[in-house]
Amino acid sequence: MTPAYVGLGANLGDAGATLRRAAADIARIPGVDGLRLSPFYRSAPVDSGGPDYVNAVAALRTALPARELLRELQRIELQYGRTRPYRNAPRTLDLDLLLYGNERIEEPDLVVPHPRMHERAFVLAPLADLEPGLRLAQGSLPELLRQCAGQAIERLD
Ligand SMILES: Nc1nc2c(c(=O)[nH]1)N=C(CO)CN2
């Protein structure tokens, strides 16, 4: 079983309810085990306009290869009506494969570790809640979070 981390985000509809249901859907993927869901965070959209996002991170273990896990995540996105009209368009549900074991994958539609996760507070904060000691290539989570101090995020509960 390979440990993997998935970023969840939504900024349309009842985003919190969507993330909770999507996490339950991820937990039910055959070959996925032991899902843990972080607390939820609200933040203004980074690099785009539109309503605030709600974000979370799920930690899991999987027997699936990274590409098959990605395909399952995309299938779940589609169930929530995700369309891709343009880059960074508002979305009912966005699922990003952030980390897959220690693997580095660089393919046109799958780059792991996620290339922007180290500079996004809305990923780093929930990831640190689940895995405080984790280090990324760019540094420890507390170090990276300090570098994102300009990004206001609010923890929900
Ligand atoms: N706060 C926040 N901003 C974003 C997000 C997101 O999930 N949260 N996702 C984006 C596209 O991946 C673009 N901007």
PDB file of all heavy atoms in Angstrom, residues 45-60:
ATOM      1  N   PRO A  45     -10.007  32.892  -3.629  1.00  0.00           N
ATOM      2  CA  PRO A  45      -9.382  32.163  -4.734  1.00  0.00           C
ATOM      3  C   PRO A  45      -7.985  32.701  -5.033  1.00  0.00           C
ATOM      4  O   PRO A  45      -7.780  33.903  -5.085  1.00  0.00           O
ATOM      5  CB  PRO A  45     -10.311  32.416  -5.927  1.00  0.00           C
ATOM      6  CG  PRO A  45     -11.493  33.131  -5.423  1.00  0.00           C
ATOM      7  CD  PRO A  45     -11.222  33.608  -4.043  1.00  0.00           C
ATOM      8  N   VAL A  46      -7.030  31.807  -5.203  1.00  0.00           N
ATOM      9  CA  VAL A  46      -5.680  32.165  -5.617  1.00  0.00           C
ATOM     10  C   VAL A  46      -5.654  32.071  -7.141  1.00  0.00           C
ATOM     11  O   VAL A  46      -6.137  31.087  -7.705  1.00  0.00           O
ATOM     12  CB  VAL A  46      -4.652  31.181  -5.002  1.00  0.00           C
ATOM     13  CG1 VAL A  46      -3.250  31.442  -5.532  1.00  0.00           C
ATOM     14  CG2 VAL A  46      -4.687  31.265  -3.488  1.00  0.00           C
ATOM     15  N   ASP A  47      -5.126  33.089  -7.806  1.00  0.00           N
ATOM     16  CA  ASP A  47      -4.972  33.068  -9.280  1.00  0.00           C
ATOM     17  C   ASP A  47      -6.288  33.050 -10.032  1.00  0.00           C
ATOM     18  O   ASP A  47      -6.314  32.610 -11.182  1.00  0.00           O
ATOM     19  CB  ASP A  47      -4.184  31.820  -9.759  1.00  0.00           C
ATOM     20  CG  ASP A  47      -2.757  31.820  -9.254  1.00  0.00           C
ATOM     21  OD1 ASP A  47      -2.263  32.912  -8.951  1.00  0.00           O
ATOM     22  OD2 ASP A  47      -2.172  30.730  -9.171  1.00  0.00           O
ATOM     23  N   SER A  48      -7.379  33.442  -9.428  1.00  0.00           N
ATOM     24  CA  SER A  48      -8.635  33.461 -10.175  1.00  0.00           C
ATOM     25  C   SER A  48      -9.636  34.307  -9.409  1.00  0.00           C
ATOM     26  O   SER A  48      -9.374  34.739  -8.290  1.00  0.00           O
ATOM     27  CB  SER A  48      -9.172  32.039 -10.366  1.00  0.00           C
ATOM     28  OG  SER A  48      -9.576  31.499  -9.132  1.00  0.00           O
ATOM     29  N   GLY A  49     -10.791  34.558 -10.018  1.00  0.00           N
ATOM     30  CA  GLY A  49     -11.845  35.296  -9.320  1.00  0.00           C
ATOM     31  C   GLY A  49     -12.874  34.335  -8.774  1.00  0.00           C
ATOM     32  O   GLY A  49     -12.604  33.141  -8.669  1.00  0.00           O
ATOM     33  N   GLY A  50     -14.050  34.874  -8.416  1.00  0.00           N
ATOM     34  CA  GLY A  50     -15.150  34.011  -7.997  1.00  0.00           C
ATOM     35  C   GLY A  50     -15.263  33.907  -6.497  1.00  0.00           C
ATOM     36  O   GLY A  50     -14.555  34.573  -5.746  1.00  0.00           O
ATOM     37  N   PRO A  51     -16.190  33.055  -6.042  1.00  0.00           N
ATOM     38  CA  PRO A  51     -16.444  32.909  -4.608  1.00  0.00           C
ATOM     39  C   PRO A  51     -15.248  32.292  -3.876  1.00  0.00           C
ATOM     40  O   PRO A  51     -14.396  31.653  -4.501  1.00  0.00           O
ATOM     41  CB  PRO A  51     -17.643  31.946  -4.547  1.00  0.00           C
ATOM     42  CG  PRO A  51     -18.100  31.716  -5.939  1.00  0.00           C
ATOM     43  CD  PRO A  51     -17.055  32.205  -6.874  1.00  0.00           C
ATOM     44  N   ASP A  52     -15.239  32.475  -2.545  1.00  0.00           N
ATOM     45  CA  ASP A  52     -14.215  31.819  -1.714  1.00  0.00           C
ATOM     46  C   ASP A  52     -14.255  30.304  -1.923  1.00  0.00           C
ATOM     47  O   ASP A  52     -15.311  29.733  -2.197  1.00  0.00           O
ATOM     48  CB  ASP A  52     -14.490  32.090  -0.226  1.00  0.00           C
ATOM     49  CG  ASP A  52     -14.076  33.486   0.191  1.00  0.00           C
ATOM     50  OD1 ASP A  52     -13.502  34.222  -0.635  1.00  0.00           O
ATOM     51  OD2 ASP A  52     -14.327  33.835   1.359  1.00  0.00           O
ATOM     52  N   TYR A  53     -13.109  29.682  -1.724  1.00  0.00           N
ATOM     53  CA  TYR A  53     -13.001  28.228  -1.762  1.00  0.00           C
ATOM     54  C   TYR A  53     -13.098  27.650  -0.357  1.00  0.00           C
ATOM     55  O   TYR A  53     -12.707  28.293   0.630  1.00  0.00           O
ATOM     56  CB  TYR A  53     -11.640  27.802  -2.308  1.00  0.00           C
ATOM     57  CG  TYR A  53     -11.566  27.666  -3.810  1.00  0.00           C
ATOM     58  CD1 TYR A  53     -11.328  28.783  -4.602  1.00  0.00           C
ATOM     59  CD2 TYR A  53     -11.715  26.437  -4.426  1.00  0.00           C
ATOM     60  CE1 TYR A  53     -11.243  28.665  -5.979  1.00  0.00           C
ATOM     61  CE2 TYR A  53     -11.629  26.313  -5.803  1.00  0.00           C
ATOM     62  CZ  TYR A  53     -11.392  27.425  -6.568  1.00  0.00           C
ATOM     63  OH  TYR A  53     -11.308  27.302  -7.926  1.00  0.00           O
ATOM     64  N   VAL A  54     -13.579  26.411  -0.281  1.00  0.00           N
ATOM     65  CA  VAL A  54     -13.358  25.578   0.905  1.00  0.00           C
ATOM     66  C   VAL A  54     -12.405  24.476   0.457  1.00  0.00           C
ATOM     67  O   VAL A  54     -12.606  23.873  -0.606  1.00  0.00           O
ATOM     68  CB  VAL A  54     -14.670  24.997   1.463  1.00  0.00           C
ATOM     69  CG1 VAL A  54     -14.385  24.114   2.672  1.00  0.00           C
ATOM     70  CG2 VAL A  54     -15.634  26.117   1.832  1.00  0.00           C
ATOM     71  N   ASN A  55     -11.355  24.242   1.246  1.00  0.00           N
ATOM     72  CA  ASN A  55     -10.330  23.244   0.903  1.00  0.00           C
ATOM     73  C   ASN A  55     -10.080  22.301   2.068  1.00  0.00           C
ATOM     74  O   ASN A  55     -10.277  22.658   3.235  1.00  0.00           O
ATOM     75  CB  ASN A  55      -8.999  23.928   0.546  1.00  0.00           C
ATOM     76  CG  ASN A  55      -9.033  24.641  -0.795  1.00  0.00           C
ATOM     77  OD1 ASN A  55      -9.179  25.865  -0.877  1.00  0.00           O
ATOM     78  ND2 ASN A  55      -8.922  23.866  -1.858  1.00  0.00           N
ATOM     79  N   ALA A  56      -9.636  21.107   1.743  1.00  0.00           N
ATOM     80  CA  ALA A  56      -9.232  20.110   2.739  1.00  0.00           C
ATOM     81  C   ALA A  56      -8.213  19.194   2.069  1.00  0.00           C
ATOM     82  O   ALA A  56      -7.989  19.276   0.853  1.00  0.00           O
ATOM     83  CB  ALA A  56     -10.444  19.308   3.219  1.00  0.00           C
ATOM     84  N   VAL A  57      -7.603  18.331   2.859  1.00  0.00           N
ATOM     85  CA  VAL A  57      -6.687  17.309   2.329  1.00  0.00           C
ATOM     86  C   VAL A  57      -7.113  15.961   2.910  1.00  0.00           C
ATOM     87  O   VAL A  57      -7.514  15.884   4.081  1.00  0.00           O
ATOM     88  CB  VAL A  57      -5.221  17.627   2.695  1.00  0.00           C
ATOM     89  CG1 VAL A  57      -4.299  16.442   2.400  1.00  0.00           C
ATOM     90  CG2 VAL A  57      -4.732  18.850   1.928  1.00  0.00           C
ATOM     91  N   ALA A  58      -7.059  14.924   2.077  1.00  0.00           N
ATOM     92  CA  ALA A  58      -7.306  13.556   2.538  1.00  0.00           C
ATOM     93  C   ALA A  58      -6.003  12.767   2.453  1.00  0.00           C
ATOM     94  O   ALA A  58      -5.301  12.821   1.429  1.00  0.00           O
ATOM     95  CB  ALA A  58      -8.376  12.887   1.680  1.00  0.00           C
ATOM     96  N   ALA A  59      -5.689  12.068   3.537  1.00  0.00           N
ATOM     97  CA  ALA A  59      -4.569  11.124   3.553  1.00  0.00           C
ATOM     98  C   ALA A  59      -5.153   9.732   3.386  1.00  0.00           C
ATOM     99  O   ALA A  59      -6.213   9.428   3.961  1.00  0.00           O
ATOM    100  CB  ALA A  59      -3.828  11.216   4.893  1.00  0.00           C
ATOM    101  N   LEU A  60      -4.503   8.893   2.590  1.00  0.00           N
ATOM    102  CA  LEU A  60      -5.010   7.523   2.389  1.00  0.00           C
ATOM    103  C   LEU A  60      -3.853   6.600   2.057  1.00  0.00           C
ATOM    104  O   LEU A  60      -2.718   7.049   1.843  1.00  0.00           O
ATOM    105  CB  LEU A  60      -6.075   7.523   1.278  1.00  0.00           C
ATOM    106  CG  LEU A  60      -5.679   8.145  -0.068  1.00  0.00           C
ATOM    107  CD1 LEU A  60      -4.959   7.146  -0.960  1.00  0.00           C
ATOM    108  CD2 LEU A  60      -6.919   8.670  -0.799  1.00  0.00           C
TER     109      LEU A  60
END
